[in-house]
Amino acid sequence: MMTSENPPQKKTNEAHLSQLASVGQIAAGIAHEVKNPLTAVKGFLQLLKERNDKQYIEIAQSELDNALAILQNLLHVSKPDLENEAFESIDLTVELESLTQLFQDQFYRVAVVKDLQDPGNFILGKRNQLKKAFFNLLKNAFEAIPGKGTITITHSAGEKEITVCIQDSGIGIPRNKLEMLGTPFFTTKENGTGMGLTLVFSVIYEHNGTVKVESEEQAGTKFIITFPKGNGSIIRKEVVRMELQQAQTLKDFFTVNRDLFEKRLLAEAVNVRDKIDEILTVGNINLLENAHKLVIYIVESREHEVISFARMEGVSWAKHSLTLAFKLEWIQAVRRVMWDFLYNYDRINDSTTTKEQFYNQEKRINELMDQFIHHLFMSYTQFKDDLIRVQREMVEDLSAPIIPLTASTSILPLIGFVDTSRANTIEDKVITQIGNYRIETLIIDLSGVINMEPEVIKQLINVIDGVKMMGCHVVITGLRPDVVKTMIRSGLSFESKATTKGTLQQAIVDHIGVALS
């Protein structure tokens, strides 16, 4: 495989020239990416002079938002510590395990192989930034595989370093483009911006890590990331002190400080925040609005509303097939930010809360949050189970579709493979339908049946015997040569049991006098 890795330190003038070239590439990228939406805004403002159309204002606003988003992404890359996140000890095996679950909707086509060795080894880093970086790498790996394929994730720890490898079996990267990876606005995707991979490189470098890329077209790509090990002691994230508006009640406190609450929540749930618009579009679920509603229910101890809301959320997520892993990460982020706010509420209001009062409050709030999670999952599971049951019933119904031709004549067209389980379904449905609708003639068309085992043919003969006892005459059509050969070898026959016809059309003409066109 062709490889690309961090270049060694060069002479000062060569380094300076390289920096100038990078600046030029970045400037060109910014000019290209920002110029397009601003040009559109200019055009629509010109149109507004000529005709006052609200649609033009909305489009211009959307394009300005795009330009601002591009610049915001660039700021996050150039200064990734903008969120002022604290360093803590992180076990990357834990983060990689949880991140892979966010791609469950892709597991049907991409096999994920995990070899996470040496858990319990730590690096010192910013958890949310690292999660975002690895999320982007995994997302790129899945997108690089157009059909079925494999992604392999490995983790190992040496004496001084921790190494993570993410390898995909995708389309690969051309050799001449490897050196450009991580450059803002450079991308191999048709609709990409390149900012995701730029963030990856930026975060890894900030954590004193190295990146090595191995790739070959049509053979896949492998990212090898190495970090220096931490000192082994776990550094816990400290409680966040925030400048918030004072309020008399918890409900008012969360209401007046809602904007900052949502900002903190987006900073905590780094993997979910990029999915907020998609979830709103797909499922009409407003995560930020619902987070605020849940917190108010909890701080006011409105248990009934918490449970009802959880059930409603469970159905919504199940109905639109949204990934539960995202929901769980979001809920845990809500829990963490809520406790940060509770700490600041007590601090700002100079609370004289006793230990007993604090533990009672902690128990009440956490129990309500746990109840929300419990009923959300129960509701989600029940909806999915009901959906599977309905689909199973539908499949069973379609496996033996009895179609009425006249008041007394019906057709049972069988298609595909008929096993004993399906033969049991056919027996149950045929006898029930004949009893309910007084069918006098049943035409069973076997032209679409691939093959039937002798035991299945015996079951079908028994069904015909039962049908005859109910006064219904059976016509068999479309017997395929393979089925006939199986019957001959097994000594089985429909003779004296039913009338046989060569084709379904012939049977219909003979019994109801109508020719199929």
Side-chain angles (χ1 to χ4, degrees), residues 306-322 324 327 370-388:
V306 168
I307 294 172
S308 298
F309 187 44
R311 289 172 177 167
M312 182 181 69
E313 283 276 273
V315 170
S316 295
W317 280 74
K319 188 181 294 183
H320 297 96
S321 298
L322 295 168
L324 263 183
K327 183 64 175 178
D370 290 340
Q371 279 213 55
F372 177 83
I373 295 173
H374 171 74
H375 286 282
L376 171 82
F377 275 79
M378 291 292 291
S379 175
Y380 181 95
T381 304
Q382 183 178 348
F383 185 92
K384 286 293 189 184
D385 288 345
D386 290 343
L387 184 63
I388 291 170

Side-chain angles (χ1 to χ4, degrees), residues 271-327:
N271 297 312
V272 182
R273 65 186 179 202
D274 290 340
K275 293 279 185 178
I276 285 180
D277 291 338
E278 179 184 332
I279 291 170
L280 180 61
T281 302
V282 172
N284 195 29
I285 299 171
N286 189 324
L287 285 177
L288 290 171
E289 175 67 32
N290 288 355
H292 177 72
K293 187 183 296 186
L294 173 61
V295 168
I296 297 301
Y297 288 160
I298 288 176
V299 298
E300 290 195 316
S301 298
R302 293 158 63 179
E303 183 176 1
H304 176 73
E305 283 88 344
V306 168
I307 294 172
S308 298
F309 187 44
R311 289 172 177 167
M312 182 181 69
E313 283 276 273
V315 170
S316 295
W317 280 74
K319 188 181 294 183
H320 297 96
S321 298
L322 295 168
T323 307
L324 263 183
F326 278 105
K327 183 64 175 178

Side-chain angles (χ1 to χ4, degrees), residues 139-153:
K139 179 172 177 286
N140 286 347
F142 279 99
E143 291 176 350
I145 302 172
K148 292 187 177 296
T150 304
I151 294 174
T152 303
I153 306 168

